[in-house]
Amino acid sequence: MREPGRETEADPINAAQQRVLRWVGLTAASDTGMDRFARLVSRVLRVPVAFVSLVEENRQILPGLIGLPEPWAGRRTLPLSHSLCRYVVASGRPLVVPDARADERLRTNPAVTDLGVVAYAGIPLRDTDGLVLGSLCAIDHQPRSWEQGELSDLEDLAAACSAELCLRILSAKSRSAQQVLETARAAAEHAQRDAQRLEQEAQAGLDHAELLLRASEELAQTSGLEDVRRRVRDLFVGAGKPSYVGLLVADKDELHRVADPDIEHSVEQEVLTLSVDAAFPSARVMRDRRAVFVPDRETLVAGYSPVAVRFFDRMGFTTALCLPLWGSRALLGVLAICWAKRHEVDVTERATLTAASGYVAQAVERALYLDERISVARQLQAAMLTDLPLADGVEISALYQPAADDHMIGGDWYDAYHLPRAANSDGETSALMVTVGDITGHDMHAATIMGQIRSMLRQATLDHPPYSPAAALAALDAACSILPLETSGTLVHARLDPVDGSPDWTLTWSNAGHPPPLLRAPDGHVTQLLEHDVLLHRSLGAFDRTEHRRPLQPGSTLLLYTDGLVERRGHDMDAAVAQLIALLARHGGGSLDELLRRISNRLAHPAPEDDVVLLAVRTPVVAQP
């Protein structure tokens, strides 16, 4: 811990400091630029309180602050008795305190009791002559061991804030110089040149601070690698804006370039994959596990392969800075920043770009994690969708359409399987079980529960001859009430039996709170099978399920579906069901595959908010003599 120094608590600021503070022109009022620096400190160092402090003769003003309680936040001023920043001003050195309560000098300071200051880090804010005007402060209400990286970030931000103060001072001096221009033209021109130089330096500092602020805000909202690539491309602005920013992601011994989804770089498409052993700057980053800087073409020719040189020439690059993207556990890839003209990357800009690459790395790690999780979930869900059986003349078709949002892994499913032939008196045509269900939720948990419920329902059906749908559902209810399964959802479980000595079939079904199935007669008339019981929920315990029967003429079509087809925010569900009935009536006599595609195209949203399942079964048509 750095000690506060040996200055007395009453050390006043000197006349030079008072004069410079007047040039700065900041008061005990909110300043947009200073508030932005306070927010940036709070975000980068993850502290609840941060402020820009300027120490006057009898008080401390806070033109930039975040997180300070009332009444201090409204006043934007603190008495010197509550000021830790005055030690920074008096000593001209940073003050870093892990726990002020344990500090012999500071523990009785009213800032500890009145403001809740526990951990404190303050970096001097200086003018162009090195005069300390105040400090950029980070405060935590809990003890904190400040990391060197955090203090480095705070020093970089303090440098940018000092540049902003210098810019204001120089602007004020420039205005004053204009008033005496006629009598001191030579001096004014000299001051103007200095002002321009310092303004450029200050603007560069502001650009760097803006970059970090944009990186923290923009990259926190990304959801996939393409989105990260798009936002990275638009992240860098200002005088030092690069001509190209590339993103490469590591996969074992290769680097895969994430192509720009909006702007086509023809040469970029030629080198989508690089071996880690390739003589490219980005590959060297992976091998050496450090940043690689190529200032000009001569350096590229001397240190890298002719293939890399040709690639840079075709892309029009002269200077390149390749930064490693470090994840929490491994090196994730490389951020390649390239300029068409020779570009000098000074220490401050390099530190800023390195800090920005940290935000890019976090976004890439999050995107890779989500992509992997979504891929696993999709594969799990696809694996649990049943291969439709060959059904002895019965036509059967199914369609599954996942939600547009990849994060919404649903619990919708369908199932179809033959019952043992021993259940049929003629022994020739087997009965068919069909199920469509929807487990509540849109995540991996829902998909997992769905797979368990599907398997349990199959077992319950086959364990209860004569294979009653209601008996199977009742057994499922009983099992769910005992087993530790967070079961909630709806389903229709149905059996189709051929009638002995007749071309007709019989439909037997039990509905657990699911949207009513639709039954189309051969003449095109469609009936809603409205009979149903309560939904499936473990809290309801064992339940006496009912089942219902309907005779089916040859060529009858049964349509089962989930609510994602007809239920959409801002739309009338009854109107959607009516449209579904009309589509089934008009097109239900043709190909079932075509029927399901037509229904999905007409009713399902192009980017559905929920999964959609459709299952259609048609009894055999009697051949005409």
Side-chain angles (χ1 to χ4, degrees):
M1 179 182 72
R2 302 181 186 179
E3 296 296 330
R6 301 185 178 276
E7 300 75 21
T8 64
E9 295 187 355
D11 281 341
I13 65 172
N14 59 39
Q17 288 171 307
Q18 295 182 50
R19 184 170 59 255
V20 173
L21 284 174
R22 287 196 295 271
W23 285 114
V24 171
L26 292 171
T27 65
S30 174
D31 180 88
T32 301
M34 298 299 106
D35 279 338
R36 177 171 291 177
F37 278 109
R39 292 196 303 271
L40 188 55
V41 169
S42 176
R43 184 176 293 110
V44 172
L45 272 69
R46 300 183 299 281
V47 293
V49 181
F51 50 75
V52 177
S53 166
L54 300 178
V55 179
E56 296 181 341
E57 185 175 10
N58 298 312
R59 64 176 185 169
Q60 170 180 319
I61 64 172
L62 308 174
L65 68 82
I66 184 172
L68 201 63
E70 295 293 345
W72 315 106
R75 296 174 181 171
R76 287 194 178 251
T77 181
L78 292 172
L80 292 182
S81 62
H82 289 64
S83 174
L84 301 185
C85 300
R86 62 198 172 100
Y87 295 111
V88 178
V89 174
S91 68
R93 300 191 301 272
L95 173 60
V96 180
V97 181
D99 190 344
R101 300 169 303 181
D103 188 280
E104 190 67 24
R105 184 178 182 83
L106 303 178
R107 63 185 182 184
T108 60
N109 192 293
V112 176
T113 55
D114 295 351
L115 305 181
V117 175
V118 177
Y120 173 91
I123 304 297
L125 297 176
R126 305 176 184 272
D127 71 354
T128 55
D129 297 321
L131 194 64
V132 179
L133 307 177
S135 65
L136 184 63
C137 311
I139 295 171
D140 204 332
H141 299 312
Q142 303 294 330
R144 180 168 182 158
S145 179
W146 300 96
E147 297 179 0
Q148 185 57 48
E150 294 175 327
L151 296 178
S152 297
D153 290 342
L154 187 57
E155 289 176 352
D156 290 343
L157 294 173
C161 187
S162 294
E164 167 75 9
L165 296 177
C166 291
L167 180 59
R168 294 174 186 235
I169 295 168
L170 291 169
S171 297
K173 289 181 178 180
S174 179
R175 290 193 298 270
S176 177
Q178 291 298 325
Q179 297 173 0
V180 295
L181 180 61
E182 293 181 359
T183 59
R185 182 177 298 274
E189 290 177 353
H190 180 73
Q192 186 178 16
R193 287 194 297 271
D194 284 347
Q196 289 175 347
R197 175 179 56 81
L198 291 172
E199 185 175 356
Q200 290 175 355
E201 293 174 0
Q203 186 60 53
L206 288 175
D207 287 345
H208 297 160
E210 288 279 357
L211 171 61
L212 293 179
L213 182 60
R214 285 195 307 275
S216 65
E217 292 175 344
E218 290 291 326
L219 295 174
Q221 307 299 323
T222 55
S223 57
L225 283 178
E226 280 197 355
D227 191 21
V228 174
R229 176 67 176 88
R230 179 182 291 109
R231 292 178 187 245
V232 164
R233 180 194 67 219
D234 299 330
L235 190 63
F236 300 86
V237 297
K241 179 180 179 180
S243 58
Y244 173 83
V245 180
L247 181 62
L248 299 97
V249 177
D251 181 15
K252 297 181 180 179
D253 294 329
E254 293 182 332
L255 278 172
H256 297 281
R257 191 182 305 276
V258 182
D260 194 313
D262 304 318
I263 301 175
E264 182 176 348
H265 298 277
S266 58
V267 180
E268 181 181 63
Q269 299 296 325
E270 297 178 13
V271 189
L272 283 175
T273 301
L274 277 177
S275 169
V276 173
D277 296 329
F280 269 69
S282 51
R284 176 169 291 178
V285 171
M286 295 298 296
R287 295 194 299 273
D288 297 349
R289 308 177 79 78
R290 61 174 179 83
V292 171
F293 180 56
V294 181
D296 49 39
R297 189 177 188 277
E298 290 73 18
T299 304
L300 184 71
V301 171
Y304 300 93
S305 69
V307 176
V309 175
R310 288 195 297 271
F311 175 78
F312 270 58
D313 287 345
R314 288 197 298 272
M315 292 292 283
F317 301 153
T318 299
T319 299
L321 175 63
C322 297
L323 298 168
L325 297 176
W326 285 102
S328 58
R329 290 172 293 180
L331 185 55
L332 304 175
V334 177
L335 181 68
I337 307 171
C338 307
W339 291 266
K341 297 180 179 180
R342 184 184 175 95
H343 181 74
E344 298 294 335
V345 181
D346 60 23
V347 173
T348 302
E349 183 176 16
R350 182 161 180 165
T352 302
L353 295 176
T354 300
S357 72
Y359 290 109
V360 176
Q362 292 175 15
V364 168
E365 186 167 41
R366 183 171 58 253
L368 292 173
Y369 171 74
L370 291 175
D371 288 347
E372 180 181 8
R373 183 173 179 178
I374 290 165
S375 174
V376 170
R378 289 293 185 209
Q379 292 178 38
L380 171 64
Q381 194 166 40
M384 289 188 289
L385 294 177
T386 304
D387 291 332
L388 297 177
L390 298 175
D392 295 327
V394 175
E395 297 179 56
I396 184 168
S397 179
L399 182 147
Y400 171 75
Q401 183 176 0
D405 186 347
D406 284 337
H407 300 266
M408 297 181 65
I409 307 301
D412 293 23
W413 91 96
Y414 62 82
D415 200 4
Y417 50 92
H418 288 295
L419 292 173
R421 290 184 181 272
N424 300 285
S425 59
D426 60 9
E428 296 179 357
T429 304
S430 60
L432 181 70
M433 296 299 302
V434 293
T435 311
V436 164
D438 181 3
I439 295 300
T440 304
H442 298 92
D443 51 24
M444 282 283 289
H445 179 69
T448 303
I449 294 295
M450 176 266 284
Q452 293 174 300
I453 292 299
R454 188 193 72 158
S455 298
M456 290 167 62
L457 183 58
R458 277 191 171 195
Q459 187 67 45
T461 300
L462 296 174
D463 281 352
H464 291 81
Y467 313 112
S468 160
L473 279 180
L476 180 63
D477 284 328
C480 290
S481 67
I482 297 172
L483 297 175
L485 292 176
E486 297 177 12
T487 308
S488 175
T490 66
L491 63 89
V492 173
H493 193 44
R495 189 182 78 237
L496 287 86
D497 295 277
V499 177
D500 291 344
S502 169
D504 294 341
W505 287 64
T506 300
L507 170 66
T508 307
W509 80 95
S510 185
N511 187 332
H514 200 76
L518 301 180
L519 182 61
R520 181 187 185 276
D523 62 3
H525 177 72
V526 176
T527 303
Q528 280 188 280
L529 306 181
L530 299 173
E531 298 86 351
H532 69 278
D533 299 324
V534 298
L535 55 76
L536 182 69
H537 199 287
R538 69 185 304 268
S539 65
L540 298 177
F543 188 82
D544 291 332
R545 296 287 179 179
T546 61
E547 65 185 22
H548 314 277
R549 289 184 177 80
R550 257 324 151 88
L552 301 181
Q553 303 174 38
S556 297
T557 302
L558 174 68
L559 179 66
L560 308 178
Y561 57 94
T562 56
D563 59 5
L565 180 69
V566 295
E567 185 175 297
R568 195 189 314 166
R569 285 180 295 181
H571 290 74
D572 186 348
M573 182 174 176
D574 291 338
V577 172
Q579 187 178 4
L580 173 61
I581 291 173
L583 287 170
L584 179 59
R586 183 174 181 181
H587 303 287
S591 163
L592 292 186
D593 290 344
E594 179 60 30
L595 170 66
L596 298 189
R597 282 194 295 269
R598 188 184 298 272
I599 290 174
S600 176
N601 292 338
R602 292 289 298 276
L603 285 180
H605 192 276
E609 300 175 355
D610 193 3
D611 292 2
V612 174
V613 162
L614 287 165
L615 178 69
V617 183
R618 180 183 294 143
T619 58
V621 178
V622 177
Q624 297 295 326

